Amino acid sequence: MISMTVQKILNGDRRTAARLIRDIDDGIPGTREILKAIHRHTGKAYVIGITGSPGVGKSTLVDQMIHGLRRSGKTVGVLAIDPTSPFSGGAILGDRIRMQRHSLDDGVFIRSLATRGQFGGLTQSTRSAIDVLDAMGKDYIIVETVGVGQDEVDIARSADTTVIVVVPGMGDHIQAIKAGIFEVGDIFVINKSDRPDAEKTLHDLRALFDIARKKLTGEGWEPPILMAEAASNRGIAELLDEIEKHRKSRKTLSHETVIHRKQAVARDELIDMIKCRLFQEALDHITSSPEFKIYLDCVTEGTKDPYSACDELLSAKLCFIGDEVNRKPDLQEYLVAQK
Amino acid sequence: MNNGRKIKVLVSVIGLDGHFTGAQIVSRFLMDAGMEVVYLGIYQTPEMIVRAAIDESVDVIGISSHASNYGQIGLLIDLMKKNDLVDVPLICGGTIPKGEAEALIKRGVSKIFPPQSTSESIIEYIVSCARG
Ligand SMILES: Nc1nc2c(ncn2[C@@H]2O[C@H](COP(=O)(O)OP(=O)(O)OP(=O)(O)O)[C@@H](O)[C@H]2O)c(=O)[nH]1
Ligand SMILES: [Mg+2]
């Protein structure tokens, strides 16, 4: 069963891949075994991250990039990520609208994902979705995210080349720095350069760059700042050229740097994965216990403060967290006495 | 609730129908009901809708129709069958004359919601077919 699914993915079967990504996103347990099996077939695709504030033209840019890459005969996978509403848990995924002309192209696979807001969940399921598209044999995988939070920065980190998109005016670039995405950018694009103030934005960005560059580790790549007009396909060829240059620059890195980077990426990935599982399983373990219910009642009634409840629960339920003071020898008995 | 599953719905306008307001309102209240909505926009062909439904692995397809392009909806349902999307219900909303509506239901459309339908009734129906 697993091997059949794996084979279909390797053959590029979009229906199987689509289903698998859905199951991964929904956290269906069986998907883990499939991910293990396909992982050794990954690592061939080149991953490009596109990030920037809402509405800067990321999807339009991606659409033009797909067009350019397809013209040079490359296959493309796209993961377009939109935010989940914190109020309802729902989402409107509207990035496909701008990429519709590629929807019937067999060499293109576009998939929308919602951030879902689970602890580290975005990074996890996006990474897994990248693996699936990679195993399908896509030459390039483009990941579009709204650059607002930590998760988005993490995603940028799992891309081979990260493109930060800003627009003239509105202090957009300032925001980008605030969110910490400035540091992860390999290429900067000032989109909508048909708008006034494009030159000024270029100037501002250059100035900020000179300050920021001192912080960069000097790996021989100076992030270029490009002007583009995605809506009329201007500056896209240059962007694709710069991405190729960046790709090549990575090949000329010293053996040591390469190993060092690989290790950093592997470390990030592994720690994220551990974090995600640890969080889910530990939380489930605690909240499904009878003691949790008792503590909840105590805190609700005001007979116990939430700080003590937290410390005692963690100490009791997770043997490696907390300390002896909080670890009651017999929690059930202790709780009965408390009541 | 069936474990961590979220309901995922494709919302689109089909053919030469430029009325997107209905589709956007529906997308919005489905999101507010906790669903993930892949919104395709206007001028979609049956082929594009079917391809998006496969690639996005959606549970339900919702078509908003405010022009006399019922033929396109018929073509969509045929194409869905051809592409083995029989387990994905097709729901239509909008101004569809009674005779046309009956013909579409016979052809395989799961449900048609006239313009005065409440958002609750639509949500309820989608939940029932996605979880059914
Ligand atoms: N003037 C101008 N408008 C553009 C340009 N590129 C994109 N747009 C417009 O900007 C709007 C937003 O474009 P999108 O591509 O959806 O932007 P986005 O960053 O993907 O948006 P979100 O995914 O919602 O964050 C659309 O109306 C585009 O037509 C450009 O170069 N110049
Ligand atoms: Mg977008």
Side-chain angles (χ1 to χ4, degrees):
Chain A
M1 187 57 206
I2 286 180
S3 65
M4 217 166 78
T5 307
V6 172
Q7 198 50 54
K8 278 185 176 168
I9 302 268
L10 295 180
N11 293 343
D13 183 73
R14 53 204 312 143
R15 196 181 292 257
T16 310
R19 193 68 227 169
L20 178 59
I21 294 174
R22 176 79 198 270
D23 287 347
I24 291 166
D25 214 16
D26 287 340
I28 305 303
T31 55
R32 236 181 147 72
E33 295 311 311
I34 300 168
L35 285 169
K36 286 176 193 172
I38 62 168
H39 193 266
R40 67 190 179 87
H41 302 284
T42 64
K44 293 181 224 86
Y46 196 78
V47 183
I48 304 168
I50 306 282
T51 192
S53 302
V56 294
K58 300 178 293 296
S59 301
T60 314
L61 200 67
V62 172
D63 171 73
Q64 300 288 16
M65 289 169 71
I66 301 172
H67 185 69
L69 290 168
R70 289 299 290 147
R71 277 178 46 165
S72 44
K74 306 294 185 195
T75 56
V76 186
V78 175
L79 295 172
I81 302 163
D82 278 317
T84 291
S85 153
F87 304 106
S88 68
I92 294 180
L93 313 170
D95 296 314
R96 284 188 84 96
I97 301 176
R98 314 245 176 252
M99 309 175 195
Q100 277 305 306
R101 62 173 164 154
H102 305 293
S103 67
L104 295 179
D105 181 347
D106 286 333
V108 178
F109 184 98
I110 302 167
R111 179 56 176 247
S112 320
L113 291 172
T115 54
R116 297 214 175 172
Q118 263 190 7
F119 183 85
L122 168 65
T123 339
Q124 272 309 293
S125 50
T126 307
R127 264 208 195 106
S128 303
I130 291 174
D131 276 355
V132 175
L133 297 186
D134 193 343
M136 276 176 91
K138 296 288 174 248
D139 297 317
Y140 286 85
I141 298 168
I142 307 177
V143 184
E144 173 187 338
T145 54
V146 180
V148 283
Q150 184 58 43
D151 268 346
E152 288 76 2
V153 176
D154 288 346
I155 286 185
R157 220 174 270 137
S158 59
D160 296 306
T161 299
T162 299
V163 179
I164 310 280
V165 187
V166 299
V167 290
M170 298 186 64
D172 233 302
H173 40 287
I174 307 288
Q175 247 182 328
I177 299 156
K178 250 195 240 157
I181 56 177
F182 201 64
E183 283 80 357
V184 297
D186 299 306
I187 297 170
F188 289 78
V189 173
I190 301 173
N191 191 40
K192 308 195 186 185
S193 58
D194 50 304
R195 284 210 198 151
D197 283 350
E199 286 296 329
K200 187 183 176 302
T201 305
L202 181 63
H203 259 87
D204 290 354
L205 214 50
R206 285 234 170 93
L208 283 162
F209 243 71
D210 290 335
I211 305 165
R213 197 172 291 141
K214 297 195 182 84
K215 279 194 285 180
L216 299 175
T217 44
E219 281 158 335
W221 174 258
E222 298 233 337
I225 307 172
L226 310 173
M227 294 280 210
E229 239 186 277
S232 40
N233 202 16
R234 288 207 184 96
I236 310 302
E238 291 78 0
L239 172 59
L240 291 174
D241 279 352
E242 286 296 337
I243 291 170
E244 276 319 297
K245 272 192 212 154
H246 183 238
R247 181 181 197 161
K248 289 208 184 91
S249 86
R250 290 160 58 94
K251 285 196 187 125
T252 61
L253 293 172
S254 73
H255 181 68
E256 255 168 40
T257 314
V258 172
I259 297 287
H260 187 77
R261 279 205 189 169
K262 267 194 181 160
Q263 207 170 47
V265 170
R267 192 187 148 82
D268 277 357
E269 191 173 335
L270 192 55
I271 287 183
D272 275 349
M273 217 171 264
I274 293 170
K275 255 200 244 175
C276 200
R277 279 212 69 179
L278 201 59
F279 177 78
Q280 268 168 9
E281 303 219 348
L283 196 66
D284 283 353
H285 178 64
I286 294 169
T287 54
S288 62
S289 71
E291 291 90 341
F292 179 76
K293 177 80 184 63
I294 302 172
Y295 272 108
L296 190 62
D297 289 345
C298 291
V299 174
T300 311
E301 290 155 13
T303 53
K304 200 167 229 354
D305 71 275
Y307 304 100
S308 311
C310 170
D311 290 355
E312 289 170 20
L313 263 172
L314 287 181
S315 303
K317 287 285 153 194
L318 305 174
C319 57
F320 50 86
I321 295 182
D323 48 40
E324 289 316 312
V325 181
N326 285 313
R327 195 163 291 127
K328 313 297 172 200
D330 190 332
L331 192 65
Q332 295 277 0
E333 200 173 90
Y334 165 77
L335 281 170
V336 171
Q338 288 271 302
K339 273 230 147 182
Chain B
M1 292 286 280
N2 44 358
N3 40 47
R5 287 250 188 248
K6 262 208 182 138
I7 299 176
K8 198 168 174 185
V9 188
L10 188 89
V11 173
S12 182
V13 184
I14 199 167
L16 293 174
D17 179 349
H19 302 81
F20 54 80
T21 320
Q24 287 186 345
I25 292 170
V26 170
S27 299
R28 180 64 212 218
F29 70 63
L30 293 182
M31 171 176 91
D32 289 341
M35 299 180 195
E36 287 180 355
V37 182
V38 179
Y39 178 63
L40 288 192
I42 52 176
Y43 304 136
Q44 301 298 303
T45 64
E47 287 78 12
M48 290 159 105
I49 294 169
V50 163
R51 173 57 73 85
I54 293 171
D55 287 4
E56 296 286 349
S57 197
V58 297
D59 302 307
V60 178
I61 299 176
I63 300 295
S64 165
S65 175
H66 288 273
S68 54
N69 53 355
Y70 321 115
Q72 292 273 313
I73 300 175
L75 291 178
L76 172 61
I77 196 87
D78 291 349
L79 200 63
M80 284 172 66
K81 283 179 199 154
K82 221 170 109 192
N83 280 275
D84 206 24
L85 283 175
V86 279
D87 56 338
V88 178
L90 175 63
I91 302 169
C92 299
T95 46
I96 301 175
K98 198 156 177 272
E100 297 286 351
E102 276 164 11
L104 286 175
I105 295 282
K106 225 178 248 153
R107 207 153 160 186
V109 171
S110 300
K111 181 111 179 148
I112 292 174
F113 287 95
Q116 63 272 24
S117 308
T118 62
S119 55
E120 287 82 9
S121 65
I122 297 174
I123 292 165
E124 201 175 302
Y125 183 77
I126 292 178
V127 170
S128 77
C129 35
R131 300 257 152 94

